[in-house]
Amino acid sequence: MGRNRKVGLDWWPRDIGLYRDPKLRAARQKFGVLGPYVYECLLDIAYGDKGYYIAYSGEGREDTLWQLREYTAGLENVTIETLAAVVDQLAASGLFHAALYERGFLTSKRIQMGYFLATVTRNAVPINFDIWLLTEQEMREKNPSGKSFVLRAFISRTENAIYCTENPQSREQ
């Protein structure tokens, strides 16, 4: 029996100038420092759990909001409703992929690239390609050697899909 594979990260890269990102402006103007702080907390939650996304529907949404409530404990008047409004504003500002947010996922190309770069040397990581936003080209630019498990799995998935589309009878032959 093999050991459990690590999914989340122990660290994540933080962009210098994150607080100057124009996408954070509306959240900062509406919620003050709570906007950027909640965004960083969400990055911490995403990278620490699934690695590149947060399930943000049903129980996943409730769990995330309660985690944010724990992160902001001690700050005055930060209710679950306020935290949900901050998350909505961050999504509306483009910090999370809009279509995936509507489907109940908090993720973005920025988050996924951070995860991709942090897992380049791992032998295996679980990836849900239905919510994966990076293209083969974007991954190759950051990993020209092509040794990334995620990149290889992405290519393999694409090649298998093409093969199945071109030759649907292949299993019977």
Side-chain angles (χ1 to χ4, degrees):
M1 180 163 123
R3 66 181 184 165
N4 292 336
R5 298 217 185 262
K6 184 160 183 61
V7 176
L9 303 176
D10 293 325
W11 63 273
W12 52 274
R14 185 184 178 285
D15 295 332
I16 300 299
L18 177 68
Y19 288 98
R20 291 188 304 266
D21 186 330
K23 291 179 180 179
L24 275 172
R25 186 174 298 134
R28 191 173 43 247
Q29 289 173 345
K30 189 170 183 178
F31 298 102
V33 297
L34 186 63
Y37 180 68
V38 166
Y39 180 64
E40 276 205 85
C41 292
L42 290 168
L43 293 177
D44 192 67
I45 293 167
Y47 286 129
D49 185 25
K50 304 282 192 256
Y52 61 96
Y53 72 93
I54 297 170
Y56 194 70
S57 65
E59 283 186 29
R61 182 178 185 274
E62 289 178 29
D63 290 346
T64 300
L65 292 172
W66 279 106
Q67 286 180 63
L68 289 174
R69 182 66 184 109
E70 290 174 6
Y71 276 104
T72 58
L75 297 178
E76 292 183 33
N77 301 323
V78 182
T79 64
I80 293 292
E81 293 76 20
T82 299
L83 293 168
V86 173
V87 174
D88 290 343
Q89 180 61 60
L90 294 170
S93 297
L95 286 161
F96 299 109
H97 190 272
L100 290 176
Y101 178 71
E102 292 298 320
R103 288 178 44 202
F105 297 97
L106 296 176
T107 192
S108 67
K109 280 192 170 193
R110 174 188 277 171
I111 292 169
Q112 292 184 9
M113 185 57 76
Y115 183 74
F116 175 75
L117 293 172
T119 61
V120 163
T121 60
R122 290 192 187 173
N123 293 330
V125 290
I127 298 291
N128 178 351
F129 286 112
D130 290 336
I131 63 170
W132 191 252
L133 299 169
L134 301 179
T135 64
E136 180 180 344
Q137 180 63 32
E138 290 167 328
M139 290 185 280
R140 283 192 184 279
E141 286 174 8
K142 297 295 183 178
N143 182 241
S145 70
K147 293 183 179 179
S148 162
F149 174 84
V150 175
L151 176 56
R152 289 189 322 242
F154 183 87
I155 293 168
S156 174
R157 176 181 172 266
T158 305
E159 288 172 351
N160 288 339
I162 291 170
Y163 181 74
C164 289
T165 302
E166 292 175 350
N167 191 0
Q169 308 276 325
S170 62
R171 290 187 182 192
E172 295 175 13
Q173 295 175 353

